[in-house]
């Protein structure tokens, strides 16, 4: 049994810096080029009928990069939101952000919130940006919240299960990713959606993010559709449950 179209695709958009360095240009040039690819990939995902698309744009660890690079990344985020908001609305796309948004500069945070509110009623593609995101922090925050609720007598520790735990995560509105794509040849998940990726299919490509085009997305999806997801079962058991 092959898998159908992935409903939720998550992408680690990696390789901007190296892409630029190989051309003798500053890393920032790669980020600018990378930003340009985001629109194309969103459009293609939308056109293909993908329901949810989550883009890893900035990790908690990325705050440790040189200040000049971080500043440019925040400026690019703001510019992108200002430029693309109308397009998102036009395409009926619902925008969300996950991560520790408190750490974003105030104007960037405001734009993120406004974009979420503006598109809250949209019913098409659900687009999520992971910003200042850490999968481990997300899990710790969920644990803290459940501990607090247990202390307040709202729930018993014995009652905590996967479903209740998932509901405390930033991704409460999303299904677990069916397909993870990482560009740039690195084969790791760099603290991205650790809980949610328990049974996600991984697709790694050497293509750098600034070179990742609609056709590359289609190739990743083709690879996914040829796979059999077994979720710990056997092929015959899987077929019996469909
Ligand atoms: C991904 O590209 C963008 C961010 C992490 C913000 P990188 O900046 O990590 O590029 P490389 O991996 O150094 O080439
Ligand atoms: C992961 O890329 C984060 C984003 C793409 C936003 P990094 O470039 O930060 O990850 P490492 O350092 O190679 O693991
Ligand atoms: Mg990188």
């Amino acid at each position: 049994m092959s898998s159908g179209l992935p409903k939720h695709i998550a992408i680690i958009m990696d390789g901007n810096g190296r892409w630029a360095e190989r051309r003798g240009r500053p890393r920032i040039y790669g980020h600018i080029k990378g930003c340009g690819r985001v629109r194309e990939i969103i459009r293609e995902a939308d056109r293909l009928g993908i329901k949810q698309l989550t883009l890893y744009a900035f990790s908690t660890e990325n705050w440790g990069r040189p200040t000049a690079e971080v500043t440019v990344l925040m400026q690019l985020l703001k510019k992108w939101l200002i430029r693309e908001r109308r397009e998102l609305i036009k395409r009926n796309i619902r925008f969300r952000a996950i991560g520790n948004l408190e750490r974003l500069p105030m104007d960037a945070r405001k734009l993120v919130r406004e974009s979420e509110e503006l598109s809250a009623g949209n019913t098409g593609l659900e687009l999520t940006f992971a910003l200042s995101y850490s999968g481990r922090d997300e899990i710790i925050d969920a644990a803290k919240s459940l501990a607090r609720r247990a202390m307040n007598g709202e729930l018993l520790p014995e009652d905590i299960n996967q479903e209740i735990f998932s509901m405390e995560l930033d991704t409460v509105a999303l299904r677990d990713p069916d397909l993870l794509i990482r560009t740039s040849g690195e084969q790791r998940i760099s603290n991205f959606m650790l809980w949610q990726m328990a049974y996600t299919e991984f697709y790694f490509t050497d293509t750098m993010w600034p070179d990742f085009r609609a056709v590359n997305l289609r190739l990743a999806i083709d690879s996914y559709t040829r796979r059999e997801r077994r979720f710990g079962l056997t092929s015959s058991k899987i077929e019996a449950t469909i």
Side-chain angles (χ1 to χ4, degrees), residues 179 181 203 212 215-225:
L179 171 65
I181 300 170
Y203 178 89
F212 193 82
V215 60
N216 302 87
L217 179 67
R218 292 198 295 274
L219 286 172
I221 294 172
D222 283 349
S223 160
Y224 172 89
T225 54

Side-chain angles (χ1 to χ4, degrees), residues 12-14 56-59 62 65 182 186 188 190:
I12 302 179
M13 308 182 290
D14 196 19
Y56 200 8
F58 194 85
S59 72
N62 290 151
R65 293 190 177 195
R182 182 170 187 148
E186 305 300 354
R188 51 179 173 256
S190 303

Side-chain angles (χ1 to χ4, degrees), residues 141-157:
D141 288 345
K144 280 183 189 163
S145 166
L146 288 171
R148 251 181 258 117
R149 285 173 56 195
M151 277 179 72
N152 294 340
E154 284 173 44
L155 89 171
L156 294 169

